[in-house]
């Protein structure tokens, strides 16, 4: 069974930084793809960043240059480093993984709230 637990959310001022962590318990599986998503109040969930098994990464245009997704394979932790945050970054952030090819994010964490104040 795959379990994901996020942490690191909280309140931060505009221009500040925050690092989200997601502990991934996936047994013997090495996920093919891992990602961070967010959902702002009244908006649809959107993908913020993705990292694949080969360490390739993709980012949403809205966060390009301000966030970095990474993972520590030994510790089974997925990270999202957020810099120069903006009020529009406010939302609930979820980590998710897809175990196989093609990438389908089938396993999700419970979410962690990020609030950016101006």
């Amino acid at each position: 069974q795959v379990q994901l637990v996020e942490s690191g959310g909280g309140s931060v001022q505009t221009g500040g930084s925050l690092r989200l962590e997601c502990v991934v318990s996936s047994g013997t599986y090495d996920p093919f793809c891992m990602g961070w998503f967010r959902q702002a109040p009244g908006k649809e969930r959107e993908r913020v960043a993705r990292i694949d098994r080969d360490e390739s990464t993709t980012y949403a245009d809205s966060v390009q240059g301000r966030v970095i997704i990474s993972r520590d394979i030994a510790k089974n932790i997925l990270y999202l480093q957020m810099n120069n945050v903006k009020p529009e970054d406010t939302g609930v952030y979820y980590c998710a993984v897809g175990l196989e090819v093609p990438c389908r994010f089938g396993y999700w964490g419970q979410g962690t709230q990020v609030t950016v104040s101006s």
Side-chain angles (χ1 to χ4, degrees), residues 44-90:
E44 294 187 354
R45 186 172 59 194
E46 65 170 339
R47 192 176 75 198
V48 176
R50 165 180 164 176
I51 184 168
D52 287 354
R53 189 180 292 157
D54 63 359
E55 302 297 325
S56 61
T57 58
T58 57
Y59 298 94
D61 290 343
S62 58
V63 301
Q64 183 74 47
R66 298 191 297 115
V67 307
I68 299 172
I69 187 171
S70 62
R71 63 176 188 156
D72 186 323
I73 297 174
K75 296 181 179 179
N76 293 322
I77 299 177
L78 177 69
Y79 299 100
L80 186 71
Q81 177 68 43
M82 303 175 64
N83 302 316
N84 190 24
V85 296
K86 304 176 180 180
E88 50 264 43
D89 292 324
T90 294

Side-chain angles (χ1 to χ4, degrees), residues 1 5 14 16-17 20 34-35 42 57-58 60 64 66 71-72 80 94-95:
Q1 184 175 359
V5 179
T14 297
S17 297
L20 306 182
M34 308 174 77
T57 58
T58 57
Q64 183 74 47
R66 298 191 297 115
R71 63 176 188 156
D72 186 323
L80 186 71
Y94 302 88
C95 62

Side-chain angles (χ1 to χ4, degrees), residues 1-4 23-32 34 53 71-77 97 99 107:
Q1 184 175 359
V2 179
Q3 294 183 329
L4 298 89
V23 177
V24 181
S25 301
S26 58
T28 59
Y29 291 100
D30 179 16
F32 172 69
M34 308 174 77
R53 189 180 292 157
R71 63 176 188 156
D72 186 323
I73 297 174
K75 296 181 179 179
N76 293 322
I77 299 177
V97 302
L99 298 182
Y107 299 92

